Amino acid sequence: MPFEHPLDKYGRPARSASRGARAATLVVVLAALVPVCFAGWLGWQAVFGKGGGSRAAAAISQDGRPVPARPAPTRTPAAGAGAGTAASSAPAAVPRAAALPLAGKVVVIDPGHNPDNYQHPDQVNALVRVGNGSKACDTTGTETDAGYPEADFTLDVARRVRAVLQAEGAKVIFTQDGNLPWGPCVTQRAEIGNAAHADAAISIHGDGAGADDYGFHVILPAVVVAGGADTRPIVGPSRTLGLDLRSAFHSATGEPFATYINGGTGLDVRSDLGGLNLSTVPKVFIECGNMRNATDAGRMTSASWRQRAAQGIASGLSAFLLHQN
Ligand code: ZN
């Protein structure tokens, strides 16, 4: 409350009162305040008790019973210390499922070609069996008119995709990470996905079509049953993966569906790719753009566009992996 000066006999503030009178007045006022304050303290104690911890005791569960206060957190001992004592009372670690939606998922990413394939023509041109025929072990890939190689593009985008997927909890395996002198062969690129029992596999490419052609497309496996290849189990899920990928990539990059493939649908189905024919896990290829088209080349040589491309690819994979369950 605000302090008020006592009044003199004329009703004016007693500014001229003696020091002793003012002291006496102060004592009276303080004496009057003590019971008020004491009552206030009692009221505080009644509501909150002693210490902050008793606030939890006032909590009420949904069925009306008091909720016991949560015990103070137990400090986790260092690994190997105090085993069986304090450690046994520590709560078990709870997986952060919401934060890592792709935990437990395995994705194989195949960065198309290899920057050094051109230095190893004998190995790269050697024929391998791809079920319904023979193909070169690998190819050098295309490049932009200015000389930006497809193999550099695919590796860069693949690494960006990996970063996004790993942040979501996925296990990501590469078929090559710029760490091989050449290749690997397309047969091995398929086998790596199979051996990993990948939930999804993708081969990343840039196309080399006519200068007036532009846009991206996704390549799905055709039904191939020949020479040990059998794509029948993966044709359906690969198509689902391809549709998710086409949608997400288009949204992320604004890149149109390829003008020169399959009526502009953004989808193609092929039976001549060893990486698809030999896969036993859901797998697609993506041709992110036409490196021989000036507009697409401008995008594909831009790091910020490659990041958007990677976000789109990761989103497509993620969508497929999440509705797989
Ligand atoms: Zn390619």
Side-chain angles (χ1 to χ4, degrees):
M1 70 178 67
F3 180 80
E4 293 178 4
H5 290 285
L7 303 182
D8 64 14
K9 62 183 179 179
Y10 302 108
R12 296 173 303 193
R15 293 179 186 278
S16 59
S18 71
R19 190 178 194 140
R22 279 198 308 225
T25 302
L26 188 60
V27 167
V28 170
V29 170
L30 286 175
L33 282 174
V34 165
V36 174
C37 294
F38 183 66
W41 181 80
L42 285 178
W44 176 271
Q45 286 293 302
V47 174
F48 298 111
K50 295 178 181 177
S54 58
R55 287 188 208 180
I60 303 298
S61 70
Q62 287 189 335
D63 60 2
R65 291 174 302 168
V67 177
R70 182 180 300 180
T74 305
R75 186 177 174 188
T76 305
T85 55
S88 63
S89 64
V94 178
R96 300 179 61 193
L100 298 174
L102 300 183
K105 300 293 186 184
V106 178
V107 177
V108 167
I109 300 178
D110 175 38
H113 315 282
N114 181 315
D116 294 329
N117 271 355
Y118 73 95
Q119 294 180 319
H120 302 272
D122 291 345
Q123 293 92 335
V124 167
N125 291 328
L127 294 180
V128 295
R129 295 287 304 167
V130 297
N132 56 1
S134 296
K135 297 272 291 203
C137 157
D138 205 11
T139 50
T140 55
T142 188
E143 62 185 14
T144 66
D145 287 352
Y148 177 57
E150 180 189 355
D152 286 0
F153 171 82
T154 65
L155 198 50
D156 181 84
V157 172
R159 287 169 173 163
R160 294 172 189 271
V161 175
R162 175 171 60 191
V164 176
L165 293 177
Q166 285 180 335
E168 295 178 6
K171 178 182 180 183
V172 179
I173 298 169
F174 271 28
T175 57
Q176 58 96 3
D177 196 1
N179 56 338
L180 300 177
W182 50 271
C185 293
V186 293
T187 48
Q188 186 64 17
R189 291 176 190 262
E191 178 55 29
I192 290 169
N194 299 346
H197 301 289
D199 295 289
I202 183 170
S203 191
I204 298 174
H205 290 259
D207 211 356
D212 293 335
D213 301 326
Y214 59 90
F216 83 98
H217 69 283
V218 176
I219 304 172
L220 314 175
V223 172
V224 173
V225 184
D230 184 356
T231 61
R232 287 173 298 183
I234 69 157
V235 163
S238 297
R239 181 174 184 82
T240 304
L241 169 60
L243 293 173
D244 286 336
L245 185 64
R246 182 183 65 164
S247 174
F249 189 85
H250 182 62
S251 296
T253 63
E255 182 74 0
F257 297 163
T259 55
Y260 58 98
I261 296 289
N262 204 18
T265 58
L267 292 175
D268 197 9
V269 179
R270 286 173 63 171
S271 61
D272 63 322
L273 297 173
L276 295 181
N277 289 0
L278 301 175
S279 182
T280 59
V281 299
K283 184 173 182 181
V284 298
F285 278 41
I286 184 167
E287 299 280 2
C288 296
N290 176 16
M291 300 190 83
R292 293 297 185 177
N293 173 267
T295 302
D296 280 2
R299 292 172 178 160
M300 298 168 87
T301 51
S302 154
S304 61
W305 190 88
R306 291 197 299 272
Q307 182 62 28
R308 288 203 296 279
Q311 294 281 356
I313 292 170
S315 295
L317 287 163
S318 187
F320 173 73
L321 294 169
L322 292 175
H323 66 58
Q324 210 181 26
N325 296 323

